[in-house]
C-alpha cells in the first residue's frame, strides 16, 4: 500500500535522493543539504502550527510504500507565495503602436516583470519514482493535494497556481534564458535556477530588466518556447487543465514556462470530493477507485483504494488494514474523491 503523509526529519536521505533524481528545472528541490533540511523543518513546523490566515507555511508530503518503508515520491503545497521573499513572473501583455499619418498599426507582445501572484497558494514539488509511474499512482499523488486544500481551506490563498517546467535540453540549458544570460545576468541557467531554489533571489531585482521587454526583439528560438512546457511536464499540465486550471499569460522568468491558475473553490476535485463517515468491516466488492484521506493535519494520511461508498447513508466502508493505515476509526470523518 502507498500512503501519502507529512514529511519528517528521518526522510532527509530519501528527499536528497529525490532532489538528485529530479534533475535540472526542479527548482523547489536543489541538491543542497542545508536547504533540504530547512524545508523539512519548515514543513514540520507548518503542520504543527495554528493558522488564522495563510502566510509563509509550506506543506511538504512524501509517498511511502508501506511494504518496503521506502519513500517513492513527494508533493507539496505552499500556503501563500511571496509573503517573505519576492515571487517573480513575467506578465505577457500587448503594446499598441498606431500612426494615422502613415496609416500603420502594430500590436507588439511584451514581457513585464511583476509580483502579481503574491499571496496565492502554489502546488509544487511533485515527483514520483520511475518504478512507480504506473496505474493510478501519479494521479493519486497529484490530486490528493486537492483533498488537503479542501479540508484545510483557511490555511491557503484563495487562488491556487502551479508553475509548469519550461523547455530545456538534456544539459538543462534553456533557449529562453540564453538572451537573459548574455545581456543581463551573466550566469548560466542551471546556476540561476539553483540560486533561486536556495531562496537567494536578490540578484533578480538587481540584474533583471525593469522595463517591459518587447518579445519581437528576442531570438526566434526564445520566442518559440514562451508559454511552452517541457515534454516531461505535459501530462501534469493536462491533469491540471482537467481540474480547471488556466494559463493567464504569466510565465517563468528563467525558462518561459507557463504558470496556470484556478480559484481554490473552482477546482474540480475540490468541488467533487465528499466528506463521509467511516464504517469498518469486511470489504465487499467495490467497482470504483477513490482517493481517500483523513481530515487530520499533523497526522494527515491519504491513499487510493477500491472502497464501498454509500450515498444513501453518507458513509464509506474501509477494511481494518486500510483504516489503520489512514489513522481513522469507525465514526470518524474521511474525505473521498473518485479517481
Amino acid at each position: 500500500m502507498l500512503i501519502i503523509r507529512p514529511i519528517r526529519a528521518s526522510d532527509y536521505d530519501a528527499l536528497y535522493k529525490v532532489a538528485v533524481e529530479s534533475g535540472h528545472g526542479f527548482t523547489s528541490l536543489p541538491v543542497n543539504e542545508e536547504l533540504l533540511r530547512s524545508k523539512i523543518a519548515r514543513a514540520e513546523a507548518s503542520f504543527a502550527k495554528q493558522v488564522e490566515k495563510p502566510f509563509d507555511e509550506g506543506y511538504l508530503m512524501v509517498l511511502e510504500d508501506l511494504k518496503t518503508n521506502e519513500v517513492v515520491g513527494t508533493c507539496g503545497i505552499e500556503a501563500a507565495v511571496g509573503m517573505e521573499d519576492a515571487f517573480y513572473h513575467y506578465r505577457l501583455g500587448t503594446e499598441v503602436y498606431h500612426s494615422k499619418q502613415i496609416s500603420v498599426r502594430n500590436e507588439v507582445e511584451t514581457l513585464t516583470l511583476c509580483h502579481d501572484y503574491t499571496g496565492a497558494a502554489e502546488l509544487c514539488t511533485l515527483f514520483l519514482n520511475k518504478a512507480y509511474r504506473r496505474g493510478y499512482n501519479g494521479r493519486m499523488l497529484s490530486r490528493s493535494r486537492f483533498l488537503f486544500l479542501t479540508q484545510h481551506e483557511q490555511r491557503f490563498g484563495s487562488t491556487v497556481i502551479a508553475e509548469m517546467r519550461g523547455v530545456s535540453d538534456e544539459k538543462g540549458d534553456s533557449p529562453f534564458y540564453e538572451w537573459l544570460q548574455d545581456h543581463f545576468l551573466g550566469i548560466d541557467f542551471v546556476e540561476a535556477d539553483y540560486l533561486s531554489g536556495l531562496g537567494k533571489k536578490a540578484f533578480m531585482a538587481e540584474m533583471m530588466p525593469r522595463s517591459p521587454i518587447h518579445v519581437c526583439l528576442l531570438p526566434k528560438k526564445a520566442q518559440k518556447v514562451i508559454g511552452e512546457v517541457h515534454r516531461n511536464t505535459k501530462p501534469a499540465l493536462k491533469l491540471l487543465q482537467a481540474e480547471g486550471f488556466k494559463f493567464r499569460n504569466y510565465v517563468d522568468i528563467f525558462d518561459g514556462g507557463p504558470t496556470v491558475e484556478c480559484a481554490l473553490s473552482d477546482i474540480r476535485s475540490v468541488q467533487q470530493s465528499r466528506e463521509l463517515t467511516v464504517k469498518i468491516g469486511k470489504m465487499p466488492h467495490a467497482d470504483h477507485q477513490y482517493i481517500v484521506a483523513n481530515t487530520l493535519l499533523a497526522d494527515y494520511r491519504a491513499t487510493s483504494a477500491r472502497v464501498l461508498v454509500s450515498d444513501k447513508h453518507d458513509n464509506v466502508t474501509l477494511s481494518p488494514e486500510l483504516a489503520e493505515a489512514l489513522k481513522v476509526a469507525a465514526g470518524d470523518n474521511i474525505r473521498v474523491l473518485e479517481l
Side-chain angles (χ1 to χ4, degrees), residues 229-247:
V229 296
H230 191 280
R231 60 183 179 277
N232 294 341
T233 307
K234 288 182 179 180
L237 176 59
K238 187 176 180 180
L239 189 152
L240 290 175
Q241 288 171 331
E243 293 286 345
F245 282 75
K246 298 183 184 301
F247 175 55

Side-chain angles (χ1 to χ4, degrees), residues 103-178:
S103 300
V104 173
R105 184 182 187 278
N106 288 321
E107 294 185 4
V108 180
E109 271 196 324
T110 59
L111 292 167
T112 304
L113 197 65
C114 69
H115 309 94
D116 291 1
Y117 279 128
T118 297
E122 181 190 14
L123 303 175
C124 59
T125 325
L126 181 67
F127 181 83
L128 182 61
N129 186 295
K130 285 184 179 180
Y132 287 80
R133 294 174 192 173
R134 60 180 186 270
Y136 291 105
N137 294 342
R139 288 173 61 82
M140 185 265 288
L141 183 61
S142 177
R143 295 181 71 194
S144 68
R145 293 177 292 185
F146 301 131
L147 276 70
F148 190 82
L149 282 166
T150 308
Q151 198 62 45
H152 305 287
E153 186 175 354
Q154 78 282 3
R155 289 178 170 265
F156 298 99
S158 58
T159 297
V160 182
I161 66 170
E163 293 185 308
M164 299 285 99
R165 183 175 177 180
V167 176
S168 61
D169 61 22
E170 291 76 11
K171 297 179 182 178
D173 294 326
S174 162
F176 180 78
Y177 183 80
E178 285 181 10

Side-chain angles (χ1 to χ4, degrees), residues 315-327:
N315 62 39
V316 55
T317 302
L318 309 180
S319 67
E321 295 78 17
L322 182 55
E324 181 180 3
L326 291 172
K327 294 184 175 291

Side-chain angles (χ1 to χ4, degrees), residues 35-297:
L35 177 88
L36 295 180
R37 291 194 185 278
S38 175
K39 276 186 171 290
I40 293 172
R42 175 171 171 250
E44 288 181 312
S46 297
F47 278 104
K49 185 179 179 182
Q50 295 293 322
V51 172
E52 294 183 3
K53 61 180 182 179
F55 186 61
D56 190 45
E57 298 80 32
Y59 302 91
L60 184 59
M61 292 169 269
V62 295
L63 180 67
E64 181 181 359
D65 187 335
L66 295 185
K67 185 180 294 185
T68 63
N69 295 320
E70 180 185 6
V71 169
V72 298
T74 65
C75 65
I77 316 172
E78 289 292 314
V81 297
M83 303 302 287
E84 288 202 333
D85 296 321
F87 194 75
Y88 294 100
H89 278 90
Y90 277 131
R91 182 178 60 247
L92 273 167
T94 303
E95 287 190 0
V96 178
Y97 297 88
H98 180 224
S99 172
K100 288 184 177 180
Q101 180 181 359
I102 59 175
S103 300
V104 173
R105 184 182 187 278
N106 288 321
E107 294 185 4
V108 180
E109 271 196 324
T110 59
L111 292 167
T112 304
L113 197 65
C114 69
H115 309 94
D116 291 1
Y117 279 128
T118 297
E122 181 190 14
L123 303 175
C124 59
T125 325
L126 181 67
F127 181 83
L128 182 61
N129 186 295
K130 285 184 179 180
Y132 287 80
R133 294 174 192 173
R134 60 180 186 270
Y136 291 105
N137 294 342
R139 288 173 61 82
M140 185 265 288
L141 183 61
S142 177
R143 295 181 71 194
S144 68
R145 293 177 292 185
F146 301 131
L147 276 70
F148 190 82
L149 282 166
T150 308
Q151 198 62 45
H152 305 287
E153 186 175 354
Q154 78 282 3
R155 289 178 170 265
F156 298 99
S158 58
T159 297
V160 182
I161 66 170
E163 293 185 308
M164 299 285 99
R165 183 175 177 180
V167 176
S168 61
D169 61 22
E170 291 76 11
K171 297 179 182 178
D173 294 326
S174 162
F176 180 78
Y177 183 80
E178 285 181 10
W179 70 272
L180 191 63
Q181 177 182 352
D182 291 342
H183 299 288
F184 295 96
L185 293 183
I187 58 176
D188 65 29
F189 174 69
V190 174
E191 183 179 359
D193 212 34
Y194 180 73
L195 289 173
S196 177
L198 291 178
K200 298 179 179 179
K201 301 178 182 179
F203 72 95
M204 297 183 193
E206 294 165 349
M207 301 297 294
M208 296 287 281
R210 295 172 179 81
S211 301
I213 299 162
H214 291 76
V215 173
C216 62
L217 301 181
L218 302 182
K220 293 294 184 184
K221 62 181 180 179
Q223 295 182 40
K224 186 177 179 181
V225 299
I226 294 173
E228 296 295 318
V229 296
H230 191 280
R231 60 183 179 277
N232 294 341
T233 307
K234 288 182 179 180
L237 176 59
K238 187 176 180 180
L239 189 152
L240 290 175
Q241 288 171 331
E243 293 286 345
F245 282 75
K246 298 183 184 301
F247 175 55
R248 302 291 190 191
N249 291 329
Y250 291 89
V251 300
D252 184 81
I253 60 173
F254 290 154
D255 63 22
T259 290
V260 293
E261 67 167 85
C262 189
L264 194 159
S265 59
D266 291 339
I267 298 172
R268 184 171 68 88
S269 289
V270 168
Q271 295 178 339
Q272 294 183 354
S273 68
R274 293 182 289 165
E275 190 170 310
L276 303 174
T277 303
V278 172
K279 285 182 64 179
I280 298 177
K282 184 178 179 181
M283 276 300 299
H285 176 73
D287 293 326
H288 299 290
Q289 189 89 7
Y290 290 87
I291 303 173
V292 287
N294 67 26
T295 59
L296 304 175
L297 184 62

